[in-house]
Amino acid sequence: MRASKYLFSTLKETPNDAQVVSHQLMLRAGMVRSLASGLYNWLPTGLRVLKKVEHIVRDEMNKSGAIEVEMPVVQPAELWQESQRWEQYGPELLRFSDRGQRDFVLGPTHEEVITDLVRREVTSYKQLPLNLYQIQTKFRDEVRPRFGVMRCREFLMKDAYSFHITKESLQETYNVMYQTYTNIFTRLGLDFRAVQADTGSIGGSVSHEFQVLAKSGEDDIVFSTESDFAANIELAEAVTLGERAAPTKMMELVDTPNAKTIDQLVSQFNLSVEKTVKTLIVKGANEENPLVALIIRGDHELNEIKAQKLPEVADPLTFADETEIRAKIVAGVGSLGPVNLNIPMIIDRSVAIMSDFHAGANIDGKHYFNINWDRDVVLPKIADLRNVVEGDPSPDGKGSLLIKRGIEVGHIFQLGTKYSEAMKATVQGEDGRPQTMIMGCYGIGVTRIVAAAIEQNHDENGIIWSTDAIAPFTVAIVPMNMHKSEVVQQFSENLYRTLLSQGVDVIFDDRKERAGVMFADMELIGVPHILVIGEKNLQAGQVEYKNRKTGEKQMISKENLLSFINSQIKI
Amino acid sequence: MRASKYLFSTLKETPNDAQVVSHQLMLRAGMVRSLASGLYNWLPTGLRVLKKVEHIVRDEMNKSGAIEVEMPVVQPAELWQESQRWEQYGPELLRFSDRGQRDFVLGPTHEEVITDLVRREVTSYKQLPLNLYQIQTKFRDEVRPRFGVMRCREFLMKDAYSFHITKESLQETYNVMYQTYTNIFTRLGLDFRAVQADTGSIGGSVSHEFQVLAKSGEDDIVFSTESDFAANIELAEAVTLGERAAPTKMMELVDTPNAKTIDQLVSQFNLSVEKTVKTLIVKGANEENPLVALIIRGDHELNEIKAQKLPEVADPLTFADETEIRAKIVAGVGSLGPVNLNIPMIIDRSVAIMSDFHAGANIDGKHYFNINWDRDVVLPKIADLRNVVEGDPSPDGKGSLLIKRGIEVGHIFQLGTKYSEAMKATVQGEDGRPQTMIMGCYGIGVTRIVAAAIEQNHDENGIIWSTDAIAPFTVAIVPMNMHKSEVVQQFSENLYRTLLSQGVDVIFDDRKERAGVMFADMELIGVPHILVIGEKNLQAGQVEYKNRKTGEKQMISKENLLSFINSQIKI
């Protein structure tokens, strides 16, 4: 590509509205431009990267034996009504009517459409297992699109759906997909972890997320220091060791008029935060118990996913408001606690081993200090309610936990029969009887990979691509004063044509710009191999080479240039 | 690809609901399945073809110097309001609101988005010309989706938009695109014509359609027998030679109570249809003349595009209904004519040279016979109002006209400043002053090409691909009784692996099916080169080859098989 015929659109200044570094760099490098909230135009430099990522994903999916199909972006509402997600899916599901007043959605995912397709096309167990995938535009009407293409509304996704007659067959394909995803992210050169994950609204039982490690990640992921254990914090079990000590002090009612929060309580009364508890009131699962109290240690965080899965608690998890609390408990938020509480309670495992602890007295402006279970209040139901913290024991008993931030780029699910049952997707089994198919589904956020790769690899000069295979161009030719030097021009032109003829994805910066501007652009967009062609060097028989990733510069003799460049390129 | 791991979904019977042969064959070959009206799932066989067509289009666009971008499917209403197409575009433009009640559309085309992008990214004439394209999903809410993917609602389109500072530069890029389209359709092996066309709702002046010739085409395209002239019938000028003869008979008022149509009039009174005229009443362009009469010869068809362009006629063309006609003219449809007509008339060129002709008398149940211009009624305004018919003189004066049916697969436009003016898309000109950019746009219906190729090339056994380059597979291996013959199995397996390793797109039919079933499937989906592996032939050192297109079969010696196959493949 000749830069003079290309649309660069690089920016010198970092745009104000971009918060994370990948968004800033994608704007500065001329990769994307916002069209509307959560909608992006992909400029040539961005699209080149996106297409290269897409190519790697497709290639590995094909190798895995999955077969590519393509389903429409626009889907009829009937299928969503059949699976009952028409009611269950929130406003992220964009719904509209066509000119004939028939209801449709913009597909956020394609479980319904593929299940409908397969129930019509596949009739016998002999045709299974089958793993169908597509790489296609998705739309999710995010309440708060942010971080550029990292969490946008329209994006490119690879979604695969597998169909089976037995759970063993599902596990087999699931394992193949786990390995395929590992291959994809390894080939993309990313530092990633596969972690156990919650299945959320997609449904199913077993599930793993593939997380690219990056400080700006929206997910907390949890590892063991000494084993392979890795999980999304949403799912990681909080293990509490130790036993409850015997009471040492009498419980007392204390006036705490200015202590509405744990922080205030601890600092005003010089308490240890590990000796306090928080009492959170949520809606109950049935009408008899409209409110339920969840009690965790003062320095811990409620894990909402865990809480939501409790049979006593309403799904989705909903916190009671001040009015609802006062109507039942009399006291308000800031003065709640287990003693004399008139609603069902569930306490975290770590709360169950506390003694001489402090909590609200269910009287406004008062707390009880030195509460002890059994002595002062009956020990309620115990559950795993909190997020793990660093240093917690690993749930597999090996080592302790570390926490890092991750960007979710892939997610694989064992769906089971959630969709096939609702949509009556059966095949004839070996015994001749209809049998409901068992399903898996496997997603990769192709668009998000581009942003994640940048979050993980960049410096003050711009983007560093994790592999040559996804850089917008592999080699840049930057001629100095080409428009004044015939020698530079001829050498550069010849080099450009030679590299092109060898199939190298090369950008030749033939713009009438200063060498500094051109060089900065090539570094900004992250061309991994940069050749600077100067008259003096040429006269000395040399060309300057810079490796974008290592930052190393070296002089290469003209004779060895092609073989050198070919040895540097790793695709 | 191993057929046993693939999703074939071929059908023996032709589905009832498919009217045209390409739709029938795409269903039978397992290429597509309907999801809802005008929405199709692409099964593996169909998608392989679609992707190969897409590849050729992309490759030729890149060679032309156009640069690929990607714009969202979902577009904000504001841009359509700015270009005023929000009001002008009919219900084919699908509109909806997002969760924040902001208006959006599903993009039927991207002039607004690209003009917005370029006005923000391009600031100087030095950055022009620029030709940006994408290959992307479009949605048009067709009133009557039909013929499978030929006229569906969601489809894949290649759309390019060029930006210029001068008309000469636009003409240059237009010529490059004309040549690029010619290259694309030639490379696709299609029998096509580039024809002059109307610019329609996209706007602009010069425009050409690329039409694939096929009997089922929805467009009539017109050629000269002796020159390069070719045009869509919408645009082709109807040339009328000859002069008006002198009157020979007196005009008479005739009772015609049972003659409501030209056919009835002609047969009941034994008239020559070329001596009759039809009087069509349409809405006028202004309030002073709410109705206008358009008069054409009895055997001719009104060309609505030509009529609509007349300054006297309302745009869009709207026919008056019986009530509106009776309110003004007293007589009704079936008895209208030029004599004593009390509204403005425009007559076709061929009507202007008629003499002794017959028309309604503007009295119910009566006609005037032997009307003559000037003598019986003042000669009104003359215009080109009709569709050409075969045998008409070519407008370029060379030869006469032929008419064929065509499927529009490409359309190129010189847009001019329609969008750039409305959206204030300017760059700094050479003189430092802002100058409105001049635009071209260039579309290819990638999806429709697949159907058009099938319409043009098929036989009773199924699809014949116009080029190996777009066949779902290039070579098929059909083993006979493989599951009983070790020799056949081993040879087939080895051949499959060898061809794969050579990069040949090969399908190995390893299903436990009869050879006849496998062979029929390969012919149905149109694999161009089919190898039948049988034990007897192998023992005689031979393999049977069939060429799908020519139908020729021949025996090839095992030794020469690879070189023979390679010599047959034309990609």
Side-chain angles (χ1 to χ4, degrees):
Chain A
M1 179 67 68
R2 285 173 192 275
S4 64
K5 308 272 182 196
Y6 187 69
L7 184 63
F8 254 106
S9 291
T10 51
L11 305 173
K12 277 183 196 142
E13 305 297 327
T14 299
N16 288 329
D17 52 340
Q19 296 161 342
V20 294
V21 71
S22 60
H23 190 197
Q24 292 167 356
L25 284 173
M26 288 182 80
L27 291 172
R28 282 193 53 210
M31 290 180 66
V32 294
R33 288 293 181 265
S34 169
L35 173 63
S37 173
L39 301 177
Y40 285 86
N41 288 311
W42 287 78
L43 299 185
T45 302
L47 188 62
R48 295 178 77 89
V49 177
L50 186 67
K51 290 273 175 196
K52 288 182 181 188
V53 173
E54 182 185 340
H55 166 73
I56 289 175
V57 173
R58 176 174 286 116
D59 195 41
E60 295 293 333
M61 287 302 293
N62 289 344
K63 280 188 200 164
S64 82
I67 303 172
E68 190 171 2
V69 297
E70 193 159 291
M71 294 173 273
V73 174
V74 172
Q75 307 178 2
E78 286 78 9
L79 294 180
W80 288 75
Q81 286 154 355
E82 211 181 329
S83 75
Q84 297 177 5
R85 286 210 292 183
W86 180 256
E87 292 78 30
Q88 291 160 5
Y89 218 106
E92 253 183 47
L93 180 66
L94 196 142
R95 300 149 212 246
F96 61 89
S97 302
D98 72 358
R99 66 191 293 169
Q101 301 313 312
R102 284 159 300 201
D103 288 329
F104 288 87
V105 307
L106 286 184
T109 171
H110 278 68
E111 280 81 7
E112 283 80 0
V113 178
I114 196 84
T115 304
D116 176 57
L117 181 66
V118 169
R119 72 178 165 183
R120 289 189 284 153
E121 297 303 320
V122 175
T123 53
S124 162
Y125 74 96
K126 292 180 194 165
Q127 294 167 276
L128 301 180
L130 188 64
N131 191 8
L132 300 173
Y133 80 96
Q134 62 176 351
I135 299 179
Q136 193 239 26
T137 302
K138 295 278 184 283
F139 193 94
R140 292 181 187 169
D141 204 355
E142 289 275 352
V143 61
R144 197 164 66 85
R146 56 192 180 277
F147 307 153
V149 299
M150 190 95 82
R151 191 169 286 280
C152 56
R153 297 201 286 176
E154 186 176 323
F155 55 96
L156 196 64
M157 181 168 159
K158 187 286 299 173
D159 44 331
Y161 307 89
S162 69
F163 294 84
H164 311 269
I165 197 80
T166 64
K167 283 185 184 169
E168 293 68 35
S169 168
L170 168 60
Q171 184 65 50
E172 221 168 87
T173 298
Y174 188 84
N175 294 347
V176 169
M177 282 296 99
Y178 187 101
Q179 187 56 49
T180 298
Y181 277 38
T182 303
N183 297 347
I184 288 170
F185 298 117
T186 303
R187 191 166 156 191
L188 288 168
L190 298 171
D191 185 10
F192 71 97
R193 297 288 184 281
V195 305
Q196 296 170 21
D198 185 55
T199 53
S201 72
I202 298 284
S205 50
V206 181
S207 147
H208 283 87
E209 287 168 355
F210 288 76
Q211 295 268 0
V212 167
L213 302 185
K215 280 178 204 146
S216 61
E218 294 191 274
D219 286 322
D220 277 316
I221 56 180
V222 176
F223 311 86
S224 164
T225 50
E226 282 170 37
S227 75
D228 285 344
F229 175 81
N232 191 306
I233 201 165
E234 292 178 347
L235 198 78
E237 183 187 355
V239 174
T240 301
L241 300 181
E243 291 192 8
R244 192 163 81 227
T248 63
K249 297 177 185 165
M250 290 307 294
M251 184 169 84
E252 52 176 323
L253 188 64
V254 181
D255 279 332
T256 55
N258 302 316
K260 299 281 183 201
T261 66
I262 293 286
D263 277 353
Q264 290 166 348
L265 184 73
V266 162
S267 67
Q268 288 169 23
F269 294 87
N270 199 22
L271 304 174
S272 162
V273 71
E274 291 86 2
K275 285 283 183 189
T276 64
V277 303
K278 288 188 278 208
T279 303
L280 306 165
I281 313 296
V282 300
K283 301 274 176 79
N286 56 49
E287 285 178 16
E288 282 166 45
N289 293 306
L291 297 182
V292 174
L294 304 175
I295 303 181
I296 57 174
R297 217 168 71 181
D299 57 333
H300 285 160
E301 271 178 14
L302 180 72
N303 182 309
E304 300 191 5
I305 303 283
K306 292 176 183 174
Q308 187 168 293
K309 287 180 185 166
L310 293 169
E312 295 85 354
V313 171
D315 179 5
L317 187 76
T318 314
F319 288 95
D321 64 26
E322 183 80 18
T323 317
E324 290 163 330
I325 294 171
R326 285 199 175 277
K328 175 77 188 169
I329 306 175
V330 184
V333 174
S335 303
L336 302 174
V339 179
N340 301 328
L341 187 59
N342 57 354
I343 60 172
M345 301 180 235
I346 301 168
I347 65 171
D348 184 56
R349 291 166 174 178
S350 57
V351 174
I353 61 165
M354 292 171 80
S355 57
D356 298 334
F357 66 91
H358 324 303
N362 301 318
I363 305 165
D364 280 333
K366 291 186 189 294
H367 278 74
Y368 281 115
F369 283 8
N370 306 318
I371 305 169
N372 281 280
W373 294 117
D374 295 336
R375 186 192 69 181
D376 306 319
V377 52
V378 174
L379 186 70
K381 173 171 173 171
I382 302 167
D384 177 14
L385 285 181
R386 67 175 174 97
N387 283 334
V388 298
V389 294
E390 280 209 333
D392 272 342
S394 176
D396 64 357
K398 298 173 194 162
S400 61
L401 296 180
L402 293 174
I403 299 179
K404 290 194 178 181
R405 304 291 279 180
I407 301 167
E408 182 194 336
V409 288
H411 204 158
I412 60 179
F413 298 85
Q414 295 192 12
L415 283 180
T417 55
K418 172 171 169 168
Y419 297 91
S420 48
E421 220 163 70
M423 297 179 68
K424 302 188 182 60
T426 61
V427 289
Q428 199 180 44
E430 244 179 302
D431 58 2
R433 289 187 189 174
Q435 199 173 325
T436 302
M437 287 183 271
I438 301 170
M439 291 173 60
C441 82
Y442 318 93
I444 286 184
V446 180
T447 299
R448 189 182 281 179
I449 286 173
V450 177
I454 297 173
E455 284 295 329
Q456 200 172 67
N457 302 279
H458 58 267
D459 63 13
E460 65 283 5
N461 296 324
I463 299 166
I464 298 170
W465 293 105
S466 50
T467 161
D468 291 2
I470 64 169
F473 300 97
T474 315
V475 173
I477 300 172
V478 178
M480 293 171 75
N481 298 315
M482 182 173 80
H483 300 281
K484 291 179 193 159
S485 164
E486 183 110 354
V487 187
V488 169
Q489 174 157 15
Q490 258 184 17
F491 185 88
S492 303
E493 281 279 353
N494 284 339
L495 179 60
Y496 173 60
R497 285 180 204 168
T498 307
L499 288 172
L500 266 193
S501 72
Q502 294 183 351
V504 176
D505 194 1
V506 55
I507 175 121
F508 172 26
D509 203 339
D510 61 345
R511 294 176 295 173
K512 287 187 185 175
E513 294 279 3
R514 285 180 301 108
V517 169
M518 300 195 283
F519 195 80
D521 273 351
M522 297 306 146
E523 293 229 306
L524 175 56
I525 69 172
V527 183
H529 308 286
I530 306 176
L531 297 169
V532 183
I533 317 296
E535 191 166 282
K536 274 195 184 166
N537 284 334
L538 282 182
Q539 280 159 357
Q542 291 184 316
V543 163
E544 188 184 310
Y545 165 81
K546 182 168 180 188
N547 185 299
R548 177 71 183 90
K549 193 179 272 182
T550 64
E552 278 172 56
K553 286 183 187 178
Q554 47 183 311
M555 302 302 289
I556 312 296
S557 76
K558 290 198 286 186
E559 292 70 36
N560 296 335
L561 187 57
L562 288 177
S563 63
F564 173 81
I565 276 291
N566 284 322
S567 74
Q568 295 297 306
I569 297 173
K570 306 266 185 295
I571 288 186
Chain B
M1 180 67 69
R2 286 175 192 274
S4 62
K5 310 272 182 196
Y6 187 69
L7 183 64
F8 253 106
S9 291
T10 50
L11 305 174
K12 277 185 196 141
E13 306 298 326
T14 299
N16 288 329
D17 53 338
Q19 297 161 339
V20 295
V21 71
S22 60
H23 189 199
Q24 293 167 356
L25 285 173
M26 289 181 79
L27 291 172
R28 282 193 53 208
M31 291 180 66
V32 294
R33 288 293 180 265
S34 170
L35 173 63
S37 172
L39 301 177
Y40 285 87
N41 289 310
W42 286 77
L43 298 184
T45 303
L47 188 63
R48 295 178 78 89
V49 176
L50 186 67
K51 290 275 176 197
K52 288 182 180 188
V53 173
E54 182 184 341
H55 166 73
I56 289 174
V57 172
R58 175 174 286 115
D59 194 44
E60 294 293 333
M61 287 302 293
N62 288 343
K63 279 187 199 163
S64 82
I67 303 172
E68 190 172 1
V69 297
E70 192 159 290
M71 295 173 271
V73 174
V74 172
Q75 307 179 4
E78 287 78 8
L79 294 179
W80 287 76
Q81 286 153 356
E82 211 181 331
S83 75
Q84 296 176 6
R85 285 209 292 182
W86 180 255
E87 293 79 29
Q88 292 160 5
Y89 219 105
E92 253 183 49
L93 181 65
L94 196 142
R95 301 149 212 247
F96 62 89
S97 302
D98 72 358
R99 67 191 292 166
Q101 301 312 313
R102 285 159 299 201
D103 288 329
F104 288 86
V105 306
L106 286 184
T109 172
H110 278 69
E111 280 82 7
E112 283 80 2
V113 177
I114 195 83
T115 304
D116 176 56
L117 181 66
V118 169
R119 73 178 165 184
R120 290 188 283 153
E121 297 304 318
V122 175
T123 52
S124 160
Y125 73 96
K126 291 179 194 166
Q127 295 167 274
L128 302 182
L130 188 64
N131 191 9
L132 301 174
Y133 81 97
Q134 63 177 350
I135 299 180
Q136 194 238 25
T137 302
K138 296 278 185 282
F139 192 94
R140 291 181 187 169
D141 204 356
E142 289 276 352
V143 62
R144 197 164 67 86
R146 58 193 178 278
F147 308 152
V149 299
M150 190 94 82
R151 189 168 289 280
C152 55
R153 297 200 288 177
E154 185 174 324
F155 56 96
L156 195 65
M157 182 170 159
K158 188 285 297 172
D159 44 330
Y161 307 89
S162 70
F163 294 83
H164 310 269
I165 197 79
T166 64
K167 283 184 186 173
E168 292 68 34
S169 168
L170 168 60
Q171 184 66 50
E172 225 168 83
T173 297
Y174 188 85
N175 294 346
V176 169
M177 281 297 100
Y178 187 101
Q179 187 57 50
T180 297
Y181 277 38
T182 302
N183 297 347
I184 288 170
F185 297 116
T186 303
R187 193 167 154 189
L188 288 168
L190 298 171
D191 185 11
F192 71 96
R193 297 288 184 282
V195 304
Q196 296 171 24
D198 185 56
T199 53
S201 72
I202 299 283
S205 49
V206 181
S207 146
H208 284 87
E209 287 167 355
F210 288 75
Q211 296 268 1
V212 167
L213 302 185
K215 281 178 203 145
S216 62
E218 295 192 275
D219 286 323
D220 277 315
I221 56 179
V222 176
F223 312 86
S224 165
T225 50
E226 282 171 35
S227 76
D228 285 344
F229 175 80
N232 190 306
I233 201 166
E234 293 178 349
L235 199 79
E237 184 187 355
V239 174
T240 301
L241 300 181
E243 291 194 5
R244 192 163 81 228
T248 64
K249 298 178 185 167
M250 292 307 295
M251 184 170 84
E252 52 177 324
L253 188 63
V254 180
D255 279 330
T256 56
N258 302 314
K260 299 283 181 198
T261 67
I262 293 286
D263 278 353
Q264 290 166 346
L265 183 73
V266 162
S267 66
Q268 289 169 20
F269 294 87
N270 198 23
L271 303 174
S272 163
V273 71
E274 291 86 3
K275 285 285 183 187
T276 66
V277 301
K278 286 188 279 207
T279 303
L280 306 165
I281 312 296
V282 300
K283 302 274 175 80
N286 56 50
E287 286 177 16
E288 282 167 45
N289 293 307
L291 297 182
V292 174
L294 305 176
I295 302 180
I296 57 174
R297 217 169 71 183
D299 56 334
H300 285 159
E301 272 177 14
L302 180 72
N303 182 309
E304 299 192 5
I305 303 283
K306 291 176 182 174
Q308 186 168 292
K309 288 181 184 165
L310 293 168
E312 294 86 352
V313 171
D315 180 1
L317 187 75
T318 314
F319 288 94
D321 65 25
E322 183 82 15
T323 316
E324 289 164 330
I325 294 171
R326 285 200 175 276
K328 176 73 188 171
I329 306 174
V330 183
V333 174
S335 304
L336 303 174
V339 179
N340 300 329
L341 187 59
N342 57 352
I343 60 171
M345 302 179 235
I346 302 169
I347 64 171
D348 183 59
R349 291 167 173 176
S350 58
V351 172
I353 61 164
M354 291 171 80
S355 58
D356 297 334
F357 66 92
H358 324 304
N362 299 317
I363 305 165
D364 279 332
K366 290 184 191 291
H367 278 74
Y368 281 114
F369 284 11
N370 306 317
I371 305 168
N372 281 279
W373 296 118
D374 294 338
R375 187 191 71 182
D376 306 320
V377 51
V378 174
L379 186 70
K381 172 169 172 172
I382 301 167
D384 176 13
L385 285 182
R386 68 174 172 99
N387 282 334
V388 298
V389 293
E390 280 210 332
D392 271 342
S394 177
D396 65 357
K398 296 173 194 162
S400 61
L401 296 181
L402 292 175
I403 299 180
K404 290 194 179 181
R405 304 290 279 180
I407 301 167
E408 183 194 334
V409 287
H411 203 158
I412 60 179
F413 299 85
Q414 294 194 13
L415 284 178
T417 56
K418 171 172 170 169
Y419 297 91
S420 48
E421 220 164 69
M423 297 179 67
K424 301 189 184 62
T426 61
V427 289
Q428 199 180 46
E430 245 180 302
D431 59 2
R433 290 190 187 171
Q435 199 173 324
T436 302
M437 287 183 271
I438 301 169
M439 292 172 60
C441 81
Y442 318 93
I444 286 183
V446 180
T447 299
R448 188 182 282 180
I449 286 173
V450 178
I454 296 173
E455 285 294 330
Q456 202 171 66
N457 303 278
H458 58 268
D459 63 13
E460 65 283 4
N461 297 324
I463 300 166
I464 297 170
W465 294 105
S466 50
T467 161
D468 292 0
I470 64 170
F473 300 97
T474 315
V475 173
I477 299 172
V478 178
M480 293 170 74
N481 298 315
M482 182 172 80
H483 300 282
K484 291 179 195 160
S485 163
E486 183 110 352
V487 186
V488 169
Q489 175 157 15
Q490 258 185 18
F491 185 88
S492 303
E493 281 282 351
N494 284 339
L495 179 61
Y496 173 59
R497 286 182 202 165
T498 308
L499 288 172
L500 267 192
S501 72
Q502 294 183 354
V504 176
D505 194 0
V506 55
I507 175 119
F508 172 25
D509 203 338
D510 60 346
R511 294 178 293 174
K512 289 187 183 172
E513 293 279 4
R514 287 182 298 110
V517 170
M518 300 194 281
F519 196 81
D521 273 351
M522 296 307 146
E523 292 230 306
L524 175 57
I525 71 172
V527 183
H529 308 286
I530 306 177
L531 296 169
V532 182
I533 317 296
E535 192 167 282
K536 273 197 185 165
N537 283 332
L538 283 182
Q539 280 159 357
Q542 292 186 315
V543 163
E544 187 184 312
Y545 164 81
K546 182 170 180 188
N547 186 298
R548 177 72 182 90
K549 194 180 271 181
T550 63
E552 278 173 55
K553 285 184 187 179
Q554 46 184 310
M555 301 303 289
I556 312 297
S557 77
K558 290 198 286 187
E559 293 69 39
N560 295 335
L561 187 57
L562 289 176
S563 64
F564 172 80
I565 276 292
N566 284 321
S567 74
Q568 293 297 306
I569 298 173
K570 306 267 183 297
I571 288 186

